[in-house]
Amino acid sequence: MNNTIAMVTTESVLPMNFPNFDQDYVLWGRLSLPWAQVNADLAQWLTDQNYEYSLLDNISYGDALGHEQQQHANFGYTIHNTRIWKTTNREPKLTFDWESSIIAQLPLDHAVVTVTRQQCGQVLPWHQDRFYMLRRLYPNDTRPIWRFLLFLEDWKTGHFLQAGDSVIHHWHQGDCITWQPDTWHLSGNIGCQTKWTCNITGFLKDE
């Protein structure tokens, strides 16, 4: 699987067997949202810089993943080419009315929706997710933490992701994918138009 999104229907990926799929990623389905409102809301934040952050803004983690993250600077990545705009980059987070509709369509508890904007020429280098926010907020919840990725616009030339060995492109607005929590992945915008996506992170429901 290394080209366009591979379809796995919602019915075939039930929460009870969710961690057991053997692909780099799966398409959960195409979510239904008030897309006219989504488009209008995104347009209002197209040039805002207050919520921008770089992976290299904090490379002080003292574990193996932190060491891996520190190596990005040695490969030519800087705070200038790794910036991403995220609604969780400030307190309180920026929240859109339609986020509740996203959460209602996914099998997650305590879900946090993070709208992200990647400008042209920006990359998010090879990394694993840490899920620090949920682990900090719910330290006694031992259920697996999963993250879904929702595409807020149709694919455009130069927009891509990679999860494991699979390169993902040619998505449609509303497509929602996920991968195993420990999967290494990256994201890039080497096109000429802004890339909008949305992360939804939460504890996988027991049933």
Side-chain angles (χ1 to χ4, degrees):
M1 182 196 312
N2 56 18
N3 289 312
T4 56
I5 287 180
M7 169 62 81
V8 177
T9 64
T10 303
E11 291 76 18
S12 69
V13 190
L14 298 174
M16 60 182 295
N17 62 22
F18 203 53
N20 299 325
F21 62 81
D22 58 359
Q23 305 169 77
D24 286 329
Y25 71 95
V26 295
L27 176 64
W28 174 258
R30 187 166 294 165
L31 303 193
S32 175
L33 290 177
W35 290 112
Q37 185 61 54
V38 172
N39 296 339
D41 287 342
L42 299 185
Q44 289 186 350
W45 295 91
L46 191 59
T47 60
D48 178 79
Q49 297 181 356
N50 293 319
Y51 289 80
E52 285 190 347
Y53 170 82
S54 169
L55 180 71
L56 273 67
D57 280 338
N58 187 344
I59 58 174
S60 61
Y61 300 115
D63 56 11
L65 282 179
H67 178 72
E68 183 78 18
Q69 187 169 297
Q70 290 174 341
Q71 300 309 304
H72 293 321
N74 299 331
F75 303 140
Y77 297 106
T78 72
I79 61 172
H80 304 294
N81 59 22
T82 58
R83 303 198 72 77
I84 193 166
W85 184 95
K86 300 169 60 175
T87 54
T88 50
N89 278 348
R90 303 187 86 185
E91 289 288 348
K93 74 176 287 289
L94 175 64
T95 300
F96 297 105
D97 291 341
W98 34 268
E99 292 182 13
S100 58
S101 180
I102 296 174
I103 294 172
Q105 298 175 68
L106 298 175
L108 299 174
D109 282 331
H110 305 305
V112 176
V113 176
T114 305
V115 175
T116 65
R117 187 193 74 206
Q118 195 172 41
Q119 299 285 43
C120 305
Q122 299 295 317
V123 294
L124 184 60
W126 200 232
H127 69 285
Q128 279 183 319
D129 292 326
R130 295 170 174 273
F131 310 125
Y132 275 132
M133 179 182 294
L134 280 185
R135 295 190 192 283
R136 184 181 71 250
L137 292 175
Y138 305 99
N140 298 321
D141 197 325
T142 60
R143 291 176 297 173
I145 296 177
W146 279 72
R147 174 165 290 167
F148 290 76
L149 179 68
L150 172 64
F151 297 103
L152 296 176
E153 294 183 322
D154 289 343
W155 175 86
K156 298 177 179 67
T157 300
H159 294 182
F160 70 93
L161 295 98
Q162 181 174 338
D165 292 331
S166 298
V167 177
I168 306 164
H169 52 84
H170 283 85
W171 53 76
H172 296 283
Q173 185 179 58
D175 284 347
C176 187
I177 66 174
T178 190
W179 47 69
Q180 297 277 0
D182 61 353
T183 296
W184 286 81
H185 55 283
L186 56 80
S187 173
N189 180 358
I190 55 173
C192 297
Q193 299 181 67
T194 302
K195 178 161 73 70
W196 287 98
T197 58
C198 179
N199 295 327
I200 309 94
T201 309
F203 293 95
L204 190 65
K205 289 182 178 179
D206 295 328
E207 56 182 42

